[in-house]
Amino acid sequence: MTRRRAATLLPALVALLLVGLVAGHAQAAGYRYWSFWERDGDRWVYATQGPSTTRPSDGTVQGFRFAVSEDSGDATRPRGTADFPTICADTPAQDGRKRVGLVIDFGTAKDSPSGETPPALRTACALVSPDATTAEALAAVAKPLRYDTHALLCAISGYPRQGCGDPVAEAKKPPATEQRDSSGSSDSSADSDGSDDGPAVGLWAGVAAVAVLGGAAVWQARRRRHAR
């Protein structure tokens, strides 16, 4: 490889790397869906089963939150700190029935589908049979529900009207005032990963690596010319 060819190839390699890295970043998508949570003391825990298979015991509080997230690791928790005595204060216990407290958080306008407005957060106390699932408890207080063919919960009380776990171009993070810690209280700290401040570190590291390789190629070409 001559010095001129190496110098010509270097910008091409850098351009290819940039295209590949930027394309990979653009393909990263979040999903707009209802996440399912269980109340553990004063904190929300992401449920390990779906609502159609979970059978909560009497006195349980469970929650649903509609939002955009990439996966369960960054899913947005239901807001509020309502506990079972508060949610079911007006629903007396009955023999042969159980009470399940539900928190239904329809999310914010930022995460809503185009043309839709999220209803206000609500709580409900479902009085159901002892063997009822969470899905059955939800159906008792928040119809209509909508599921897809894979039993994924798509809509609660008709919200949203369409779609089910739809991908979005970029996962939307709630603003600092919407970030919630595990207890449901507000967390005023903003994200500090710097992802919105410019190109990712990995991108520039890749460009630097290509530049080093291109420089090495030029050096090798010079060395061969002087050896002749």
Side-chain angles (χ1 to χ4, degrees):
M1 178 185 294
T2 66
R3 179 182 176 184
R4 178 175 297 178
R5 288 180 62 190
T8 301
L9 182 59
L10 177 57
L13 289 172
V14 173
L16 285 173
L17 180 65
L18 285 170
V19 170
L21 289 176
V22 172
H25 179 72
Q27 290 172 0
Y31 298 87
R32 183 181 287 112
Y33 68 101
W34 281 101
S35 57
F36 174 41
W37 303 79
E38 297 178 331
R39 193 77 175 172
D40 182 9
D42 62 350
R43 65 192 185 104
W44 287 110
V45 178
Y46 201 91
T48 56
Q49 298 184 61
S52 61
T53 58
T54 300
R55 297 183 186 277
S57 58
D58 181 75
T60 298
V61 174
Q62 300 192 306
F64 294 86
R65 173 68 189 257
F66 189 78
V68 172
S69 60
E70 294 178 5
D71 52 40
S72 61
D74 78 338
T76 307
R77 297 171 176 82
R79 293 168 292 180
T81 58
D83 56 13
F84 180 78
T86 302
I87 296 173
C88 290
D90 298 328
T91 305
Q94 291 186 18
D95 291 338
R97 309 283 282 176
K98 68 179 178 183
R99 293 177 297 169
V100 179
L102 297 170
V103 176
I104 306 169
D105 188 343
F106 296 87
T108 66
K110 182 178 180 180
D111 286 339
S112 64
S114 177
E116 296 201 49
T117 301
L121 180 151
R122 57 173 292 204
T123 63
C125 186
L127 186 64
V128 291
S129 63
D131 63 345
T133 64
T134 301
E136 291 171 325
L138 186 64
V141 297
K143 288 181 179 179
L145 306 181
R146 178 166 55 84
Y147 292 87
D148 71 358
T149 56
H150 302 290
L152 178 65
L153 179 61
C154 304
I156 297 176
S157 296
Y159 182 83
R161 294 190 299 270
Q162 299 179 4
C164 192
D166 295 337
V168 295
E170 183 177 351
K172 300 178 184 177
K173 298 289 186 181
T177 55
E178 278 296 313
Q179 294 284 1
R180 302 283 163 169
D181 62 20
S182 58
S183 66
S185 60
S186 176
D187 179 2
S188 60
S189 61
D191 293 341
S192 59
D193 59 6
S195 59
D196 294 331
D197 296 332
V201 173
L203 186 152
W204 292 119
V207 172
V210 171
V212 170
L213 291 173
V218 172
W219 179 81
Q220 289 285 0
R222 287 178 177 175
R223 184 178 180 185
R224 283 195 295 269
R225 289 184 62 190
H226 287 305
R228 291 175 182 175

